[in-house]
Amino acid sequence: MIELVRNVRLWFAPERIKEEGTTPDYRFSLANERTFLAWLRTSLALIGGGFAVDQFLPDLRWAWRVGLALGLLGAGVLCALRAVNHWIRCERAMRKGEDLPVSRFPALLSICVAVVAVAMVVVVLVGWEG
Amino acid sequence: MTGPAQESGIGRDPGLQPERTRLAWRRTTLAATVAAVLAVKAALSGGPSAAGFVVCALFCGLWLGFLAVAHRRIRALSESGQPTVLTPGHASAAVLCTVALAVCAMVLVF
């Protein structure tokens, strides 16, 4: 938790990251940036999916539709916040020459996406009459 | 292709890292555009109304904010010489636009 607060403070105080360790090869930083962007795209896709559920499944019952849309949008928010947090942690680990941080977020996200996908199939098949 | 890096005498990065990063930003703006178009469609789905237009303007503003952030970074990456590293403030700005879009969407859907 303290680690998280420290990271959030770093988001808004860019000069502080330079105080630690040595500057890594710029190519590693750019690779880290691309990973960050890939996560941000995942987040934007989840947000787009939330809109799509709300817009293109109008025959669904209100609770199902709003629940699925809010779930996807919430996953998008989490994914975006985690993207910047992971980027900061990787950047700092590279500066200090430590191992890159490991994370169970990708596993959690893929399980969530799988659950939502199965829910969509069930909802589209069953919820149509409702 | 003769890039600016070659003209200034500095060897081109054989891994094309700045170009790849630039294109990654470009792809991300495309993803943001798709999300923004869906958002505007959702905002105007209930027929034209004052509230709908306000929400629509808000989504457009967020999209433009994201484009501005991406454009600044793309310009920085296109410069010759060794590219500068992404700053945390810049990354946070891009993420804040995304999160704001999602939060507005949640309010709209609910």
Side-chain angles (χ1 to χ4, degrees), chain B residues 22-33:
Chain B
R22 213 168 65 212
L23 289 172
W25 274 102
R26 189 55 79 207
R27 284 199 297 281
T28 313
T29 60
L30 283 175
T33 306

Side-chain angles (χ1 to χ4, degrees), chain B residues 22-99:
Chain B
R22 213 168 65 212
L23 289 172
W25 274 102
R26 189 55 79 207
R27 284 199 297 281
T28 313
T29 60
L30 283 175
T33 306
V34 171
V37 167
L38 285 169
V40 166
K41 188 184 180 300
L44 296 178
S45 63
S49 67
F53 281 121
V54 170
V55 176
C56 190
L58 187 68
F59 283 140
C60 288
L62 286 171
W63 177 65
L64 286 176
F66 194 92
L67 279 194
V69 170
H71 188 68
R72 264 184 55 202
R73 184 65 188 146
I74 287 172
R75 294 265 312 259
L77 285 167
S78 317
E79 280 167 12
S80 55
Q82 189 165 319
T84 52
V85 172
L86 180 68
T87 60
H90 213 119
S92 314
V95 165
L96 279 183
C97 283
T98 311
V99 170

Side-chain angles (χ1 to χ4, degrees), chain A residues 12-34:
Chain A
F12 298 102
E15 62 286 346
R16 287 189 40 175
I17 198 168
K18 298 222 167 82
E19 289 167 10
E20 297 174 65
T22 52
T23 307
D25 186 334
Y26 77 93
R27 284 170 290 186
F28 298 154
S29 293
L30 289 182
N32 192 18
E33 181 179 343
R34 287 197 296 277

Side-chain angles (χ1 to χ4, degrees), chain A:
Chain A
M1 203 62 208
I2 294 162
E3 176 76 10
L4 185 72
V5 173
R6 222 163 88 84
N7 285 340
V8 170
R9 222 184 290 141
L10 262 182
W11 296 1
F12 298 102
E15 62 286 346
R16 287 189 40 175
I17 198 168
K18 298 222 167 82
E19 289 167 10
E20 297 174 65
T22 52
T23 307
D25 186 334
Y26 77 93
R27 284 170 290 186
F28 298 154
S29 293
L30 289 182
N32 192 18
E33 181 179 343
R34 287 197 296 277
T35 309
F36 161 69
L37 287 173
W39 278 111
L40 202 57
R41 279 198 297 280
T42 307
S43 153
L44 284 166
L46 286 168
I47 293 169
F51 277 121
V53 165
D54 184 49
Q55 284 293 298
F56 299 116
L57 295 175
D59 299 337
L60 280 187
R61 252 176 273 166
W62 183 84
W64 274 104
R65 189 163 55 85
V66 169
L68 274 177
L70 285 183
L72 283 168
L73 291 169
V77 169
L78 273 183
C79 198
L81 292 176
R82 188 265 179 189
V84 70
N85 194 47
H86 191 74
W87 173 77
I88 279 274
R89 284 173 64 196
C90 286
E91 201 69 19
R92 211 160 67 218
M94 287 195 299
R95 294 191 75 89
K96 289 186 186 164
E98 292 168 357
D99 287 347
L100 290 184
V102 291
S103 155
R104 48 178 103 73
F105 184 82
L108 287 177
L109 183 69
S110 26
I111 289 169
C112 285
V113 169
V115 167
V116 168
V118 170
M120 296 272 245
V121 170
V122 171
V123 156
V124 169
L125 288 178
V126 178
W128 219 248
E129 297 100 54

